[in-house]
Amino acid sequence: MTNQSIHKTELIAPCGMNCRVCLGFERKKKPCFGCRANQELDSRYNCIIRNCQKRGNHDNCSECENRCARLKRLDKRYREKYGYSPIHSLDIIHALGMEAFLKNQEIFWTCESCQGLLCVHRWACPECGAPRPNVISAQELDDRI
Ligand SMILES: [Zn+2]
C-alpha cells in the first residue's frame, strides 16, 4: 500500500467495477482504458449505467438509494459468472469511502501466492494459477436481490 498503488479512483467505474483488474484493461491488443475513458465513439463506452444522469453530482452509484434494475442485472451476471459483485464494491465505498475501498482492492486483487495482479474475469491468478478468492460468500449471495 504505497502511494504508487495501481488502484485509482478514476479506474473505479460508476457501477463499482474496478477497471484495473478487468480483462479488457489487461489485454495487450486493443486494450480498454476503463469505463471512464473519454472515448465517445467507442461502443464500449455506451453503457447506460456509466451515462446515467440520476447520480447527479455523485461520482458513482454508491449513493443511489434505489439500485436500478440495470445495476442489479449487471451484478447478478458478474456474481454468477465471475464471483464478483460490483454492488458489493459500491456498498464498501458507501460505508467506508473511496480511499478505504482502494486499500481493500489493493489487498484483494494481489495474489497471496505470488503477489501478482489478479483479474475479475479469471478464477485463477494469471501469473501462477493459484485460485482467486470469491468476492462474496454464498450467504451474501442469498441475501441479495
Ligand atoms: Zn499468483
Side-chain angles (χ1 to χ4, degrees):
M1 269 164 279
T2 65
N3 292 331
Q4 284 136 32
S5 174
I6 59 166
H7 299 282
K8 299 178 193 305
T9 308
E10 59 266 33
L11 288 176
I12 306 302
C15 66
M17 177 83 174
N18 182 348
C19 295
R20 185 60 189 83
V21 288
C22 173
L23 198 60
F25 191 93
E26 289 284 304
R27 70 176 166 239
K28 300 275 186 287
K29 201 179 168 190
K30 282 197 172 184
C32 176
F33 298 102
C35 294
R36 291 185 188 278
N38 188 22
Q39 298 190 16
E40 301 299 337
L41 296 176
D42 190 320
S43 63
R44 286 180 298 191
Y45 302 105
N46 288 338
C47 172
I48 289 170
I49 296 172
R50 174 196 191 258
N51 299 326
C52 177
Q53 300 296 312
K54 290 183 184 161
R55 280 192 301 274
N57 293 328
H58 294 295
D59 188 56
N60 55 59
C61 302
S62 65
E63 301 302 317
C64 289
E65 285 187 11
N66 296 308
R67 301 275 160 80
C68 67
R70 285 177 198 285
L71 185 60
K72 284 180 181 175
R73 274 200 299 273
L74 173 83
D75 192 72
K76 187 169 187 279
R77 188 154 47 87
Y78 265 82
R79 278 187 287 108
E80 286 173 357
K81 233 178 153 183
Y82 305 114
Y84 175 76
S85 167
I87 287 181
H88 181 69
S89 293
L90 291 172
D91 288 345
I92 298 173
I93 294 167
H94 181 78
L96 306 174
M98 183 57 83
E99 203 177 320
F101 174 69
L102 292 174
K103 282 180 184 166
N104 162 290
Q105 296 294 283
E106 184 83 38
I107 295 162
F108 188 84
W109 296 111
T110 300
C111 174
E112 281 191 353
S113 301
C114 77
Q115 312 302 307
L117 182 65
L118 300 172
C119 174
V120 168
H121 299 107
R122 291 174 168 152
W123 287 92
C125 171
E127 307 284 335
C128 76
R132 165 168 77 68
N134 197 323
V135 176
I136 54 171
S137 68
Q139 183 57 51
E140 282 181 87
L141 249 173
D142 289 345
D143 291 346
R144 272 168 211 273
I145 303 176

